[in-house]
Amino acid sequence: MAVTSSYTSWGRVLRPQHELLPLASRHAPLPALPDGSATMLPYGNGRSYGDSNLNPDGALLPGRQLDRFIAFDPATGVLRCEAGVLLSEILRLVVPQGWFLPVTPGTQFVTVGGAIANDVHGKNHHVAGSFGNHVRCFELLRSDGTRHVCSLTEHADWFAATVGGLGLTGLITWAEMQLRRVANPFMVTESIRFRSLEEFFELSAASEADHEYTVSWIDCAFGGKRLGRGLFNRGNHAPAAMEMAWVPRGLTQGGDPHTRTVPITPPLSLVNSLSLKSFNTLYFHKQRRDVVSGMQHYRPFFYPLDALLEWNRIYGPQGFYQYQCAIPPERALQATRALLEAISASGMGSFLAVLKQFGAPASHGMLSFPMPGTTLALDFPNQGPRLHKLFEALDRIVLEAGGRLYPAKDGRMGAALFKAGYPRWSEFTPYVDPRFSSGFWRRVMEQA
């Protein structure tokens, strides 16, 4: 029996009612749609930011219902699990046995199914590509009861449609992936202060050969001489020779770090022009030297925000939007500068501004977001029409540069921008399950 509940995404802008459909096991057929619901949609752990994981006036299949490990070979690093297993649960199992996720986004609290459906990327795209590049196979359950085991060699077209397919092709019940070897849970890291976009691009080019992971925080609050300054972070997994009894304060090799929780939603966003400029100034100068080297556990390196649970509440009851774009390399410097100039002039923006390079590895999905070039991601408190006017200006820059927006982070992209950024959308459309849909998909399929 379906239950009605209010579900939201990580941005907390929308809170539509949904019918929730129970799923007894991965072997069971999809439940029947309740009266009044024309479509359903898988919902993982709710870490997409906009409406790609919401289905207003429809039903949701809560993905965490499928949360079992199926098989793991510690000799080869091949893992098979149900699609509702969290990346954090995988890490807890495999890191003590000398394995790690081949690609991970900025939070460990996403499901395997969600990671495939959004073909998530990480700090190592220049060497490893996106998450789908390391998925060996998965089972796709369609609303007509058919099941496809999909891989690069078996039902390869369904594989390409489902990787990055936003949960629209059916329900992923289980997946098998190849992990990567590590000697211990630690990272050798370096943080480098840079003062211009040109310096960022130089650091990125110089780092890619010797560093598996690269990412930058960038100051989006200031223009002029301070435009494009930030902190460039790079790192590698620590080799076996460095394995030691070194454990960060408050963290054990087998346990979780101490976390805090934002206990309430403040009546107003704590992110505003004054707090943004103050924080960014302090953060840029947080390290005394231009280059700081160190060693740390993988969790603060990959998942710094996971130490503050429910951090999305700081944006207040109206929630927030994230704007993440990718720009081709030949226009990256010019377009990134134009984006930052528009954002700093608006007085809006976020502490959480990320700039990084995508590499050459091609994604397998028809609608996968990563492309060679540069990606910029920022959070914006929901300020209604004023913010949307800024987004329209940013859209024009991205469109002119031949770029695209990330559906997993989007809550307002129009049909024209989506179709320009994802030229394979018409090839993808026949693979959409007729009983599956989302708020995002209905919006971007409107007439441009």
Side-chain angles (χ1 to χ4, degrees):
M1 179 178 179
V3 176
T4 301
S5 182
S6 174
Y7 264 54
T8 188
S9 61
W10 193 245
R12 304 177 73 244
V13 172
L14 301 174
R15 295 179 177 275
Q17 293 287 313
H18 292 89
E19 298 277 358
L20 305 184
L21 303 180
L23 193 62
S25 77
R26 68 178 184 271
H27 307 292
L30 289 175
L33 282 166
D35 293 339
S37 295
T39 59
M40 66 183 81
L41 181 73
Y43 182 96
N45 202 36
R47 289 304 180 109
S48 293
Y49 283 55
D51 57 355
S52 65
N53 64 343
L54 300 178
N55 189 24
D57 301 319
L60 291 180
L61 284 160
R64 287 287 286 153
Q65 298 174 106
L66 303 180
D67 61 353
R68 292 176 172 84
F69 288 99
I70 300 171
F72 175 55
D73 185 347
T76 63
V78 174
L79 171 73
R80 180 176 291 197
C81 63
E82 293 182 338
V85 171
L86 295 177
L87 300 189
S88 60
E89 295 167 337
I90 293 176
L91 290 168
R92 194 174 300 122
L93 169 70
V94 305
V95 171
Q97 301 184 66
W99 295 95
F100 200 78
L101 293 167
V103 169
T104 179
T107 175
Q108 60 189 317
F109 301 130
V110 301
T111 63
V112 168
I116 296 171
N118 295 286
D119 197 16
V120 298
H121 56 273
K123 300 174 176 68
N124 61 342
H125 186 272
H126 60 285
V127 294
S130 50
F131 192 88
N133 291 43
H134 306 273
V135 174
R136 291 162 55 98
C137 57
F138 54 77
E139 182 186 68
L140 183 68
L141 174 58
R142 301 272 290 175
S143 64
D144 62 4
T146 59
R147 295 174 183 263
H148 302 311
V149 175
C150 306
S151 70
L152 290 176
T153 57
E154 185 179 4
H155 297 297
D157 55 339
W158 288 102
F159 186 89
T162 303
V163 172
L166 305 170
L168 296 168
T169 62
L171 176 69
I172 301 171
T173 60
W174 58 261
E176 183 176 284
M177 72 193 76
Q178 175 63 61
L179 304 177
R180 58 103 67 221
R181 273 283 187 194
V182 294
N184 52 59
F186 303 114
M187 305 295 299
V188 179
T189 64
E190 197 168 41
S191 177
I192 305 170
R193 188 156 44 206
F194 61 90
R195 293 174 173 82
S196 68
L197 284 176
E198 289 83 357
E199 192 175 350
F200 160 78
F201 283 101
E202 291 169 2
L203 279 168
S204 293
S207 301
E208 287 186 355
D210 299 323
H211 295 84
E212 182 173 353
Y213 301 98
T214 63
V215 69
S216 294
W217 168 85
I218 193 162
D219 187 349
C220 66
F222 295 97
K225 293 182 178 180
R226 289 177 285 187
L227 180 79
R229 67 179 184 176
L231 298 173
F232 188 95
N233 295 289
R234 59 192 186 185
N236 290 307
H237 291 279
M242 299 184 71
E243 191 158 7
M244 58 185 75
W246 180 88
V247 179
R249 191 174 186 181
L251 182 68
T252 65
Q253 290 199 32
D256 289 329
H258 295 312
T259 58
R260 298 178 183 274
T261 302
V262 178
I264 60 170
T265 301
L268 297 172
S269 171
L270 300 182
V271 180
N272 53 58
S273 58
L274 179 62
S275 64
L276 178 62
K277 289 187 174 182
S278 299
F279 174 87
N280 282 16
T281 298
L282 290 172
Y283 195 79
F284 179 71
H285 294 287
K286 71 171 186 171
Q287 57 188 57
R288 295 182 179 181
R289 303 185 305 277
D290 280 348
V291 180
V292 175
S293 301
M295 187 170 172
Q296 61 184 142
H297 194 275
Y298 73 82
R299 289 195 189 94
F301 180 78
F302 288 106
Y303 314 115
L305 290 175
D306 285 352
L308 183 62
L309 303 179
E310 307 293 344
W311 61 262
N312 54 345
R313 291 176 175 174
I314 68 172
Y315 290 96
Q318 301 304 312
F320 72 102
Y321 289 89
Q322 183 169 112
Y323 192 93
Q324 183 168 4
C325 61
I327 306 293
E330 61 273 13
R331 301 294 300 276
L333 176 58
Q334 176 186 353
T336 303
R337 177 177 285 114
L339 290 166
L340 290 175
E341 287 173 344
I343 292 164
S344 62
S346 75
M348 295 180 280
S350 170
F351 315 136
L352 309 174
V354 175
L355 184 66
K356 73 175 299 294
Q357 291 286 77
F358 284 143
S363 300
H364 296 314
M366 296 179 187
L367 298 186
S368 292
F369 168 66
M371 60 189 291
T374 302
T375 179
L376 174 67
L378 299 98
D379 296 342
F380 295 87
N382 180 13
Q383 299 186 41
R386 178 176 173 233
L387 176 61
H388 286 272
K389 185 177 180 180
L390 171 63
F391 283 156
E392 290 170 4
L394 302 182
D395 289 348
R396 288 192 290 271
I397 296 169
V398 172
L399 186 61
E400 183 180 346
R404 60 173 60 142
L405 302 189
Y406 192 10
K409 304 294 182 68
D410 175 70
R412 36 69 55 192
M413 179 183 5
L417 184 57
F418 172 76
K419 291 175 180 178
Y422 295 89
R424 298 183 70 183
W425 69 269
S426 58
E427 179 186 355
F428 167 80
T429 301
Y431 293 92
V432 175
D433 191 297
R435 308 305 298 273
F436 280 54
S437 187
S438 68
F440 170 87
W441 188 245
R442 293 191 290 273
R443 170 162 48 83
V444 299
M445 284 296 103
E446 294 175 354
Q447 282 295 111

